[in-house]
Amino acid sequence: MAKKKETKPKKQAEDISEHTVLTSIIEVEPPEKQKAYIMFISGQLSGKLCYLENKETIIGRAEECDISIDDSRISRHHIKISVVGDQAIIEDLGSTNGTFVNGERVKNRVLANGDQVHISSDTIFKFALGSEAEQILLKEMHQMANYDAVTGIYNKHVFEKRLAEEFSFAKRKGIQLSLLMIDIDFFKKVNDTHGHMAGDYILQGVANRIQNALRGEDILARYGGEEFVVIMRGTDIKGAAIIAERVRRLVEAKPFAFEKKRIPVTISIGVATLAAGNMDKPQELLAQSDARMYQSKKNGRNRVTS
């Protein structure tokens, strides 16, 4: 009898132990951990979020690619992204124009959350992997709505909104408002000679140098292509011209270095100012600064016209 009493509790203990192990296995590995995403922040697929469901994803211009992009600067089979466990590896498949991660040309590389990948000057995407991927990409959606993907400064949409606000404020308060229109000289030649990735590098570098020459309250944005704009509250034409000249000199001062190539860059600037009710609409201020920028180009480039 004693033997039977000992056997029964032992069997119950084994059942409980087995049940506990099975429960813990189910709870340990949530499937969300393996999710990998890319979000296109520039180009034909801008705003598109892609979940990398397969272990290997081919991206290129060819129709048979997992993600096909109609961009002439992308090779037919441009890159492969392989997701294994908690790692994602990007591999350039011998593309013509190369693959750049955070501005650095790569052949193979383990991607990290938030890495920015250029496969052409038009097509850029951000990568995210793991349990925080959705949060990272939600933040990126906000970034896309307000900032330029290449330079990281305000985009044209934000500029137009801020110009309207600043123009209205200046008119109401009777203060002056200046605008700089800036264009990179011979930018097409940079792209044609050194490639579009070099062009993006120059855009980033010029934006940084302009920002470094401005005051904290000035508003810098990319207007489009190789054009930048600066809004300057409470600044007369003379003060704006002084700052514009400082910007011009800083950009010209030192050639940019891209993949061991030295690329000299200059800019042409036009300056216009709202003063004493000389304009009624912000478009007039924009048009005048644009006309003066073209005057700078006509007179030989690498100069300021106010």
Side-chain angles (χ1 to χ4, degrees):
M1 292 294 292
K3 188 176 181 181
K4 287 182 181 179
K5 285 180 183 179
E6 289 175 2
T7 302
K8 189 174 182 181
K10 185 177 180 182
K11 186 176 185 301
Q12 287 177 340
E14 288 173 354
D15 289 344
I16 291 169
S17 173
E18 183 181 357
H19 178 71
T20 303
V21 170
L22 289 172
T23 303
S24 65
I25 289 172
I26 292 169
E27 293 178 350
V28 162
E29 284 286 339
E32 300 82 67
K33 274 195 168 184
Q34 305 305 320
K35 286 186 178 179
Y37 300 88
I38 59 173
M39 172 177 276
F40 288 88
I41 60 176
S42 180
Q44 184 199 39
L45 300 183
S46 183
K48 185 176 179 63
L49 179 65
C50 298
Y51 169 44
L52 304 181
E53 296 182 84
N54 303 323
K55 288 185 178 180
E56 293 185 350
T57 301
I58 306 294
I59 302 175
R61 200 175 72 252
E63 290 184 6
E64 66 267 20
C65 290
D66 300 302
I67 300 175
S68 178
I69 307 169
D70 185 15
D71 181 342
S72 61
R73 300 185 186 97
I74 295 175
S75 295
R76 287 182 55 78
H77 299 87
H78 199 106
I79 59 170
K80 177 174 70 177
I81 301 177
S82 304
V83 179
V84 182
D86 60 354
Q87 280 195 335
I89 301 166
I90 189 169
E91 178 185 351
D92 184 274
L93 300 176
S95 67
T96 302
N97 294 319
T99 299
F100 293 75
V101 178
N102 302 328
E104 178 185 350
R105 186 189 289 266
V106 299
K107 292 294 184 184
N108 291 276
R109 178 163 172 166
V110 176
L111 291 172
N113 271 327
D115 276 351
Q116 182 166 296
V117 181
H118 284 60
I119 53 176
S120 83
S121 59
D122 289 333
T123 302
I124 306 170
F125 63 83
K126 280 283 186 78
F127 171 80
L129 171 71
S131 58
E132 296 180 2
E134 292 91 340
Q135 184 180 357
I136 290 168
L137 293 170
L138 280 172
K139 289 180 180 178
E140 192 56 44
M141 289 176 71
H142 175 266
Q143 185 81 6
M144 283 177 59
N146 295 285
Y147 297 91
D148 175 61
V150 174
T151 62
I153 62 177
Y154 285 130
N155 59 25
K156 185 177 180 180
H157 170 72
V158 171
F159 161 71
E160 289 175 337
K161 181 181 178 183
R162 291 300 303 270
L163 179 62
E165 292 169 351
E166 292 294 333
F167 193 92
S168 176
F169 179 84
K171 292 278 283 185
R172 190 168 64 252
K173 296 293 184 180
I175 62 175
Q176 297 190 50
L177 178 72
S178 289
L179 184 67
L180 309 185
M181 176 67 76
I182 304 168
D183 187 85
I184 301 175
D185 298 326
F186 301 113
F187 186 68
K188 184 178 183 301
K189 186 178 179 181
V190 171
N191 281 332
D192 292 345
T193 304
H194 303 285
H196 290 273
M197 293 301 184
D200 281 358
Y201 178 78
I202 296 301
L203 288 169
Q204 293 167 3
V206 169
N208 288 338
R209 291 188 188 184
I210 294 171
Q211 191 74 74
N212 289 337
L214 299 177
R215 306 167 302 182
E217 65 269 26
D218 297 328
I219 300 165
L220 171 64
R222 185 180 178 193
Y223 189 67
E226 63 269 29
E227 291 183 330
F228 300 87
V229 281
V230 180
I231 303 171
M232 311 177 77
R233 178 189 282 194
T235 307
D236 62 17
I237 191 75
K238 184 179 178 181
I242 291 171
I243 294 173
E245 179 61 22
R246 186 164 72 210
V247 168
R248 186 198 66 78
R249 288 180 180 176
L250 188 58
V251 171
E252 181 190 31
K254 183 180 178 182
F256 291 90
F258 178 77
E259 295 194 323
K260 299 180 181 179
K261 300 171 186 174
R262 288 168 61 82
I263 307 173
V265 175
T266 62
I267 55 175
S268 297
I269 307 177
V271 186
T273 300
L274 166 69
N278 61 340
M279 300 177 193
D280 296 318
K281 297 179 180 180
Q283 290 79 8
E284 295 175 64
L285 184 62
L286 183 60
Q288 191 174 107
S289 62
D290 189 54
R292 290 177 178 171
M293 182 270 291
Y294 277 105
Q295 191 64 41
S296 290
K297 287 192 170 292
K298 185 179 178 181
N299 290 339
R301 294 180 169 82
N302 190 25
R303 65 191 62 224
V304 175
T305 302
S306 58

